Amino acid sequence: MTGNIYRGQAGLPFSSALRIYEPLSAFPEEQRAALRAAGARSASRAAVENAELQASLGRITRPGGDPFPTGRTDLVRVIPAPPEPERPHTQKPSGGPEETGTSDDGTPGGAAAGAESADRALLYCPSQLVLRAGLAANALMEGIHGPLAELLIPEEQRDKHQERIDLVKAREGTSRVHTRASTWGIPFSWFSLFKESDPQDVVESGGRIITVRVWAPIGEALERVRYAVANLALAAPDLDMLDDMTQLTEWLELFHPGSVVELDYGAVADKVYPDDSPMDVRLGIECLAEGDMTGAAAAYRRLASRWIPIRQLARAS
């Protein structure tokens, strides 16, 4: 399979993702070298997306009936870390490691400092396809399409994949999943993590928007979703979105405080951008907190008019 299928994605579901990028120090030490190497191999972000899509299409068409990723390779997305806030200048004592050119452990100071600086300058998000495929299969089995899923994914293949999951967990010592995915639209709860002032990147090609990516420091994202949870718990405790936001909060709390949250719209961006959904979610929650049901209903109508047509495409023939 050749060609830039990432740009086209004709006939494929709209797929969006919420990702956490962590500093290298947040990962187990034995995993860091592999992350560095995988990140260095990534020629561009588009190349990573294209490779992941090609691999997924290859798995569902390969012989043997095993649709699961093997885990032999794992793609890694890399972004620059946001700049650290400026700190007051302090005078360094003379004769320290930086002046003598060696570090405390006797290694050349410049090389050690350079490697550490490079690590701090990048944030990493491993695809974790083995773990995510297992979670997706379990969700499918437990859903209304469980009987059909048992036919599509034989029990033998599910057992084989569970062995891969056990190996990954034993090797990495963690079960944190850095990526959440959604097809045919973006959950409204995700928008509570972002504001319209957050940095974003609009990726265009051939007169089409390929995707839009929005970023927020994890600390700010947590403040926003906690504010939303607190207000919804008082004003609308029965709202489904409250449960979604609570789960989102618990997920974000698993990660390093220096992380960054990314919302990747995927191909659906071409249908909705420019998108005011983060503002509409925020305004809707503020209206609920103030008892303004009219304002809250207006915000929901704007969201629904934008996203319900997208979700209906999942049932279109």
Side-chain angles (χ1 to χ4, degrees), residues 125-157:
C125 177
S127 291
Q128 299 174 295
L129 293 177
V130 169
L131 290 177
R132 289 168 53 205
L135 292 171
N138 290 339
L140 192 60
M141 294 296 171
E142 295 167 1
I144 60 173
H145 301 296
L148 177 60
E150 290 180 5
L151 295 175
L152 295 175
I153 311 175
E155 184 177 358
E156 178 186 354
Q157 301 299 345

Side-chain angles (χ1 to χ4, degrees), residues 128-205:
Q128 299 174 295
L129 293 177
V130 169
L131 290 177
R132 289 168 53 205
L135 292 171
N138 290 339
L140 192 60
M141 294 296 171
E142 295 167 1
I144 60 173
H145 301 296
L148 177 60
E150 290 180 5
L151 295 175
L152 295 175
I153 311 175
E155 184 177 358
E156 178 186 354
Q157 301 299 345
R158 298 199 301 272
D159 291 343
K160 185 177 179 181
H161 189 67
Q162 184 59 49
E163 294 176 5
R164 297 181 188 129
I165 292 174
D166 294 340
L167 285 172
V168 168
K169 288 184 176 180
R171 182 175 67 245
E172 299 180 2
T174 177
S175 58
R176 293 179 306 157
V177 177
H178 288 68
T179 302
R180 292 190 167 203
S182 175
T183 53
W184 300 116
I186 297 174
F188 293 166
S189 60
W190 291 9
F191 294 119
S192 66
L193 306 178
F194 302 94
K195 281 191 174 180
E196 51 273 24
S197 57
D198 288 334
Q200 61 179 242
D201 183 23
V202 181
V203 183
E204 299 179 272
S205 178

Side-chain angles (χ1 to χ4, degrees), residues 87-292:
R87 299 175 181 175
H89 177 74
T90 56
Q91 183 71 32
K92 288 183 170 50
S94 61
E98 289 190 4
E99 280 196 16
T100 60
T102 59
S103 64
D104 291 335
D105 61 1
T107 58
E116 185 179 349
S117 176
D119 286 347
R120 286 200 304 265
L122 297 174
L123 301 177
Y124 297 80
C125 177
S127 291
Q128 299 174 295
L129 293 177
V130 169
L131 290 177
R132 289 168 53 205
L135 292 171
N138 290 339
L140 192 60
M141 294 296 171
E142 295 167 1
I144 60 173
H145 301 296
L148 177 60
E150 290 180 5
L151 295 175
L152 295 175
I153 311 175
E155 184 177 358
E156 178 186 354
Q157 301 299 345
R158 298 199 301 272
D159 291 343
K160 185 177 179 181
H161 189 67
Q162 184 59 49
E163 294 176 5
R164 297 181 188 129
I165 292 174
D166 294 340
L167 285 172
V168 168
K169 288 184 176 180
R171 182 175 67 245
E172 299 180 2
T174 177
S175 58
R176 293 179 306 157
V177 177
H178 288 68
T179 302
R180 292 190 167 203
S182 175
T183 53
W184 300 116
I186 297 174
F188 293 166
S189 60
W190 291 9
F191 294 119
S192 66
L193 306 178
F194 302 94
K195 281 191 174 180
E196 51 273 24
S197 57
D198 288 334
Q200 61 179 242
D201 183 23
V202 181
V203 183
E204 299 179 272
S205 178
R208 292 179 54 238
I209 297 177
I210 304 304
T211 189
V212 173
R213 301 188 186 104
V214 187
W215 297 278
I218 198 169
E220 293 182 17
L222 270 168
E223 282 184 19
R224 294 164 185 172
V225 72
R226 285 169 178 160
Y227 168 86
V229 166
N231 283 283
L232 284 182
L234 293 173
D238 297 328
L239 202 64
D240 290 341
M241 193 162 63
L242 175 58
D243 291 336
D244 295 342
M245 288 180 175
T246 301
Q247 293 175 18
L248 205 55
T249 304
E250 294 170 351
W251 178 60
L252 292 176
E253 288 171 343
L254 297 174
F255 296 94
H256 190 281
S259 303
V260 164
V261 188
E262 174 190 84
L263 173 58
D264 189 343
Y265 277 67
V268 75
D270 195 51
K271 302 293 184 184
V272 300
Y273 189 81
D275 179 34
D276 293 326
S277 296
M279 181 176 66
D280 288 334
V281 168
R282 176 172 55 82
L283 291 177
I285 292 169
E286 289 175 355
C287 287
L288 283 173
E290 295 167 2
D292 179 5

